[in-house]
Structures are given as structure tokens and as C-alpha cells.
Amino acid sequence: MKSPVVQFKTGTLSLDQIEAIFDVLPFEIDFLDVSDRFTWYSDKPKREYPRHVSDLQKTIQQLHPGPAGMFAQKVIDSFKAGKQDHFEQPLKLNGQMVYINYYALRDQDGNYLGTIGYTGTVNHIADLIKHGAWDQDVTTGASMHQSMKSPTKAVPNIAGMGRPKADNKDSSRPDITTSASHTGMKDDH
């Protein structure tokens, strides 16, 4: 079998595709299993915390000796106890703004499966904010119809985005349900 296919609830991916997805994500990802052993990591180039296959099966304290490892263990213990499901830590590292997140992974019954951590620099996001990347409203951006000369109305019912209205025949308003600006938005439906 060249590249087996994994069937998810939401579709299928080959193992080659899964590995490529993890390699292209801008954050490095680590996984600690239910017994607190480091069992997997993404092979992102230029990681903030370099990993090697020889690190596999180590505990969090072996990966991060000293106070950092003890603190990380407390976070993992709180996940196991069901006290929290997420922990985030922004910090400066070698002149970079680094954003660290740990998430408890749970099965459908709420049983703890392990901890996933992702880490990455966010300097480019801070620069985007500093230079006004989010200053424009979606009604003035890529989702505007070509026929619309200037935005005259705000898009009503932001909560309904992602579900086009059946009776919406007003082509003078931006179509935010099908454009690039919609695909980057969080959809909590």
C-alpha cells in the first residue's frame, strides 16, 4: 500500500496528505499521550523548540527540564483532572513573539486522550495589525461585487454569515457567503 487513506467524519485524506498538512502549518505541533509520553511532533522547518525522533517517548520534564517542565506538568495534570481544557502562554524568545497553546484532547465521552501543543512566532501577525490589516470592513474588501462602486450599507445580521438567505436578491450588497473573506472567518454554527 503506497499511502493508506484515513477516513474522518468530514472526509478522507491519505497519510501523505496528512503529513504534508502538518509540515506546511505555520505552527509546530507536539503530542503527549495519556501517559505523558511525547509520541509525535510535526516536522516544521525552523521550529522554536527543535525536536528529534530521539525525543520520542520522553516525558514533558525530560523535554523541558527545570521549572518549565514542572509548570507544563501542572497544566497537563489539570487537563487530566478535568479542571481545564486549554492553556495559552505568549512570551518573547530570542527576540521573537512566541505564542504557545496546550489543549486537552478528549474522546466523545470526555475521557482524556493526551495533550496537543502548538507553538509559533506571531511577529508577522503583530505587523499586520500594526499596519492596519484589519482596519477595513468586509464590505470594502474582496467580498464586494464588481458592480458595487462604494459601500453604502453594512452587512446586516453578522451572526447569520455562512448561511445565505433564500430571499436575498439585492445584488448591491456584498456577497460575504462565497468569497475569500468568508473562508477565513470563524463559523460557530
Side-chain angles (χ1 to χ4, degrees), residues 4-170:
V5 172
V6 178
Q7 177 68 52
F8 296 96
K9 291 185 292 188
T10 56
T12 59
L13 291 169
S14 72
L15 288 180
D16 289 340
Q17 291 167 330
I18 293 168
E19 189 167 65
I21 289 169
F22 284 123
D23 288 348
V24 76
L25 291 175
F27 283 84
E28 58 196 51
I29 303 170
D30 296 335
F31 179 72
L32 290 130
D33 69 11
V34 70
S35 62
D36 299 344
R37 295 286 174 178
F38 178 61
T39 61
W40 178 86
Y41 64 98
S42 62
D43 201 15
K44 174 186 169 284
K46 300 179 186 173
R47 290 177 55 107
E48 273 57 66
Y49 295 104
R51 300 285 186 238
H52 189 271
V53 293
S54 64
D55 294 326
L56 295 174
Q57 298 305 314
K58 289 183 178 179
T59 65
I60 191 74
Q61 287 141 348
Q62 290 170 319
L63 290 172
H64 299 286
M70 292 187 310
F71 182 79
Q73 187 64 56
K74 285 182 183 181
V75 170
I76 292 167
D77 290 344
S78 74
F79 289 171
K80 288 180 167 185
K83 293 179 181 175
Q84 66 182 32
D85 287 316
H86 174 240
F87 174 81
E88 65 184 340
Q89 175 71 48
L91 55 89
K92 287 270 189 161
L93 179 67
N94 301 323
Q96 298 291 317
M97 294 172 24
V98 176
Y99 186 51
I100 301 169
N101 280 263
Y102 291 110
Y103 287 92
L105 296 184
R106 301 189 188 283
D107 66 16
Q108 299 222 358
D109 296 324
N111 299 310
Y112 177 78
L113 299 173
T115 296
I116 191 161
Y118 74 83
T119 302
T121 59
V122 294
N123 292 49
H124 66 288
I125 296 171
D127 286 343
L128 287 169
I129 292 168
K130 180 180 175 182
H131 292 98
W134 281 274
D135 289 351
Q136 288 190 354
D137 187 276
V138 296
T139 59
T140 63
S143 57
M144 190 183 293
H145 284 287
Q146 294 294 339
S147 63
M148 188 172 179
K149 302 219 185 315
S150 65
T152 56
K153 304 182 218 175
V155 177
N157 189 10
I158 293 279
M161 289 176 24
R163 295 177 300 182
K165 294 181 181 178
D167 61 342
N168 184 3
K169 295 183 180 174
D170 181 0

